[in-house]
Amino acid sequence: MLLPVPERIAIKKVCSKWKEACELAWYDIKNYSFGGGVFDGKLLAPSYVEEALSNFGIYLRVLALWRNCNSSVMPIIEHIDININHWDIKTPNILNNILNSSKSIRYCNIMLHPDCNAPDISIKNWDNLLNLEHLGTRWRINNNTAIKLVKYCKNLRSLDIRSEGIIETALQKLTELKNLDTLNYSFADGIAMDELDNAILTISNTWKKLKHLTISDDSPPDDIDVDNIEPFDPSVIYDELSKLQYLEELNVLNMRDFQDSSIIAIANSSLMSIISLENLEELNVGNIDGVTDNFISKLKGLKKLRCEYSKNITDAGMIQCLKNCPNLEALCLYHSNITINTLVGADEITQNRINNIVLYLFYNNSTEASKLKTKSKWLVLRPGKRNYCG
């Protein structure tokens, strides 16, 4: 059991005693990679893969295959990562054999070299995929496959697909995966702009519970002539992504036509989704132009709020926020547009507090504000520029 896998297989062939001992020494192998790094070429041969998996395949939980490896001896693997750089007529069997034989697979990532044309997925035993949580593939997902994925893979949470590997109507069908929260949609040079636009609209209008989204241009850098790049017209289609109000992470890798207005639209949408967070107690929205009265006046239940350099909030919005947040104990308004009216409003609102919570209000001092005499014992004004906001 202390020997590496190739040596275990080698000694198995030496004599009957070693063979007998070797047959017992495989259960410790739970995670294995065929290929990658510096390997003897014969260790990548399908025959070697078959022989090795016949010994420890029943114990594996994580498997990584590189190049042209092929086997169906994988009954209980949960995690599969395959990178195929070489293509021949037998290659499609790699994916299909795995998906049709593994009964416990949760994570499946099958990556093709960009020069390989995407074949169709052909799965017979869909019941094997009931526990599938991640599917990453450049195999073509046709309409029938999309229907099956929606029917059988209800636990699918993460999907990694490429534009030429998916039919547009199939993408629409996949939006019915209710538990999906992570999507990686990539494409290469040559994609029709209307195809990309339709994909963005599909994702934005129907996959509204996504938390993690990556849209990337995977065109090889060598294909781009920097000296002859034509200027991109900014696209407003990305504004549609503002409909994804549960979004926590957005990656728009190499998207040169992604414009500032789309970022602003998405950020503003994300701000409004914060309003529904019932247990939110601390919030920092300083230096964000999208913070307006419409947002600030709807916040509730906060204990600490920082709005430094928020130029688009007024006294009316801030006073309403103070009424909504009776437990507010720290409010930072440095370099905002609030006036003495907010200070007066804070004084009047906190006078009625019965929770024994003191509000510390930090603001830029002014001649008018310095003359204010407060009545509330639950309000402490902290004028200045460098006081700690809490």
Side-chain angles (χ1 to χ4, degrees):
M1 288 178 61
L2 299 179
L3 294 174
V5 169
E7 294 185 30
R8 295 193 202 186
I9 292 178
I11 64 172
K12 183 178 178 180
K13 301 177 180 179
V14 175
C15 66
S16 59
K17 292 295 183 181
W18 276 110
K19 181 178 180 180
E20 182 179 349
C22 189
E23 289 176 348
L24 304 176
W26 299 101
Y27 62 84
D28 61 317
I29 300 177
K30 304 294 193 301
N31 182 329
Y32 197 72
S33 172
F34 290 96
V38 180
F39 274 78
D40 187 329
K42 66 183 180 182
L43 300 185
L44 297 174
S47 59
Y48 173 80
V49 177
E50 290 283 354
E51 184 173 359
L53 290 177
S54 67
N55 290 293
F56 58 74
I58 62 172
Y59 307 112
L60 273 179
R61 291 296 180 272
V62 178
L63 172 67
L65 294 176
W66 293 68
R67 300 186 187 178
N68 190 26
C69 301
N70 189 11
S71 178
S72 60
V73 193
M74 289 170 277
I76 59 172
I77 291 176
E78 296 179 354
H79 184 127
I80 296 177
D81 200 342
I82 301 178
N83 191 322
I84 300 172
N85 295 319
H86 176 71
W87 175 269
D88 64 25
I89 195 171
K90 297 180 180 179
T91 303
N93 291 333
I94 300 171
L95 173 64
N96 295 325
N97 282 345
I98 290 172
L99 296 183
N100 286 320
S101 60
S102 179
K103 299 179 180 179
S104 304
I105 186 169
R106 295 181 181 273
Y107 179 101
C108 184
N109 197 49
I110 318 286
M111 298 307 296
L112 285 173
H113 189 278
D115 293 337
C116 300
N117 294 323
D120 288 336
I121 292 178
S122 177
I123 301 173
K124 298 177 182 178
N125 301 326
W126 280 96
D127 287 337
N128 291 349
L129 304 183
L130 295 177
N131 296 319
L132 189 65
E133 296 179 2
H134 169 82
L135 177 62
T137 179
R138 288 181 179 174
W139 260 255
R140 186 173 300 280
I141 300 178
N142 57 32
N143 293 330
N144 182 61
T145 302
I147 292 172
K148 295 290 188 179
L149 282 169
V150 170
K151 179 179 179 180
Y152 289 92
C153 304
K154 299 183 183 300
N155 294 321
L156 200 66
R157 300 179 57 86
S158 175
L159 186 62
D160 189 338
I161 50 180
R162 191 173 170 88
S163 62
E164 68 262 30
I166 187 167
I167 299 173
E168 187 173 318
T169 52
L171 179 64
Q172 180 71 44
K173 182 63 181 178
L174 290 175
T175 61
E176 297 180 21
L177 292 167
K178 301 302 183 182
N179 292 318
L180 199 81
D181 60 24
T182 300
L183 175 66
N184 186 337
Y185 179 84
S186 61
F187 58 91
D189 189 35
I191 185 175
M193 292 311 298
D194 59 343
E195 179 185 348
L196 179 59
D197 289 352
N198 289 337
I200 299 297
L201 288 173
T202 297
I203 293 169
S204 303
N205 291 327
T206 54
W207 241 323
K208 294 187 177 181
K209 292 188 177 181
L210 282 179
K211 294 181 179 179
H212 309 276
L213 173 63
T214 296
I215 302 173
S216 59
D217 184 347
D218 286 353
S219 301
D222 293 342
D223 291 349
I224 300 175
D225 186 350
V226 178
D227 296 329
N228 295 310
I229 290 180
E230 296 182 2
F232 267 64
D233 292 329
S235 175
V236 297
I237 191 66
Y238 301 108
D239 289 12
E240 295 293 320
L241 296 176
S242 63
K243 297 177 181 179
L244 302 175
Q245 295 193 9
Y246 293 91
L247 206 60
E248 298 176 359
E249 178 182 359
L250 175 64
N251 186 343
V252 282
L253 186 64
N254 294 330
M255 305 300 292
R256 289 178 288 148
D257 57 340
F258 199 102
Q259 62 178 350
D260 291 347
S261 66
S262 297
I263 291 290
I264 294 172
I266 294 167
N268 289 343
S269 173
S270 298
L271 282 173
M272 294 310 294
S273 67
I274 291 175
I275 296 170
S276 63
L277 300 177
E278 297 180 357
N279 297 319
L280 185 67
E281 295 184 346
E282 299 185 19
L283 179 64
N284 186 341
V285 288
N287 269 309
I288 299 179
D289 292 338
V291 175
T292 65
D293 285 354
N294 186 43
F295 168 73
I296 214 76
S297 63
K298 295 177 181 178
L299 292 171
K300 297 179 180 179
L302 292 178
K303 291 185 177 180
K304 296 181 180 180
L305 175 62
R306 301 184 64 157
C307 298
E308 300 103 310
Y309 296 92
S310 296
K311 303 296 185 180
N312 293 321
I313 57 175
T314 69
D315 294 315
M318 185 52 63
I319 289 173
Q320 184 59 53
C321 178
L322 288 167
K323 292 179 179 178
N324 295 344
C325 303
N327 297 324
L328 195 65
E329 58 190 43
L331 175 61
C332 187
L333 298 172
Y334 291 138
H335 303 287
S336 65
N337 285 335
I338 64 99
T339 70
I340 192 174
N341 292 334
T342 291
L343 307 185
V344 172
D347 187 35
E348 294 175 353
I349 293 169
T350 56
Q351 285 185 56
N352 300 319
R353 284 191 169 183
I354 58 174
N355 52 16
N356 297 331
I357 295 177
V358 176
L359 170 62
Y360 289 84
L361 198 158
F362 303 85
Y363 65 100
N364 286 104
N365 200 6
S366 66
T367 302
E368 187 178 22
S370 64
K371 297 179 180 179
L372 179 64
K373 302 296 182 181
T374 60
K375 299 179 181 178
S376 174
K377 65 178 181 178
W378 306 114
L379 176 66
V380 176
L381 297 180
R382 289 291 178 85
K385 295 184 178 180
R386 295 184 179 179
N387 283 329
Y388 174 63
C389 291

